[in-house]
Amino acid sequence: MPELTFRNAEEKDVPLILEFIKKLADYEHRLDEVIATEEALKYWIFDKNQAEVIFALEDGKEIGFALYFLSFSTYIGNANLHLEDLFIDPEYRGKGYGTALLKKLAKIVDDNGYGRFEWTCLSWNQPSIDFYISLGAEQKDWNVFHLTGDELKKLAND
């Protein structure tokens, strides 16, 4: 039986992190939106410590990843773990690895006394939504907004 293990990413893993980001973006039909570079990931994840990455490994081979960072809730007055990306290679799905990775992250939340474990999901991804609800997650009624590029510059400088 294959063995599932986890390991924290190191700086030398930046190319692999970018590879998993692109795989996730391709799955989400948004590969054309990925502008991240290895240099940017190295800077923000490892030099500035703005995010962390955990790899899921089957028999020592990286088969998935989770990228997360801390956010803060004013309502509960506590830090939260925000899961930005989670991806398991398609050929390794159906083995419980995604659930195991979520459990690993939930343990980090619990061990550190954070207020909650949160993430977003694309509205069209009903299988994932159903899965998250089956774990006991609540689907909140917030909409997510992004301001980037020229519109961000315009707001910042008007």
Side-chain angles (χ1 to χ4, degrees):
M1 176 167 217
E3 180 187 14
L4 180 69
T5 57
F6 303 99
R7 75 171 180 84
N8 293 327
E10 301 173 19
E11 191 173 312
K12 68 180 176 61
D13 294 313
V14 166
L16 184 58
I17 295 168
L18 185 55
E19 180 182 327
F20 275 117
I21 290 168
K22 288 180 178 179
K23 287 179 183 182
L24 174 61
D26 188 47
Y27 169 76
E28 293 178 341
H29 313 291
R30 299 172 66 193
L31 185 57
D32 60 322
E33 295 180 34
V34 177
I35 60 171
T37 63
E38 290 181 15
E39 294 76 20
L41 294 175
K42 178 193 168 299
Y43 179 75
W44 289 106
I45 296 172
F46 296 101
D47 296 344
K48 294 300 229 175
N49 298 312
Q50 293 299 303
E52 295 190 44
V53 175
I54 294 177
F55 291 112
L57 298 87
E58 184 185 83
D59 294 333
K61 178 185 186 290
E62 292 85 356
I63 54 89
F65 89 125
L67 186 147
Y68 64 94
F69 55 88
L70 295 183
S71 64
F72 191 83
S73 171
T74 56
Y75 284 19
I76 61 176
N78 200 342
N80 307 310
L81 187 147
H82 181 88
L83 174 61
E84 180 69 13
D85 289 338
L86 185 142
F87 183 82
I88 301 292
D89 279 327
E91 61 269 29
Y92 295 94
R93 293 182 189 154
K95 297 182 175 187
Y97 294 166
T99 302
L101 194 47
L102 286 170
K103 286 181 179 182
K104 175 77 171 169
L105 295 167
K107 181 96 171 97
I108 292 169
V109 172
D110 189 49
D111 287 350
N112 287 284
Y114 300 148
R116 71 178 160 228
F117 179 15
E118 62 187 13
W119 60 91
T120 59
C121 182
L122 291 168
S123 58
W124 60 258
N125 193 347
Q126 196 61 49
S128 291
I129 293 168
D130 293 342
F131 169 67
Y132 298 142
I133 291 171
S134 79
L135 295 176
E138 296 177 273
Q139 189 173 8
K140 295 295 189 173
D141 55 357
W142 290 297
N143 291 311
V144 177
F145 292 88
H146 292 244
L147 192 58
T148 60
D150 291 340
E151 294 304 316
L152 174 62
K153 290 181 191 305
K154 181 180 175 195
L155 180 62
N157 296 304
D158 276 356

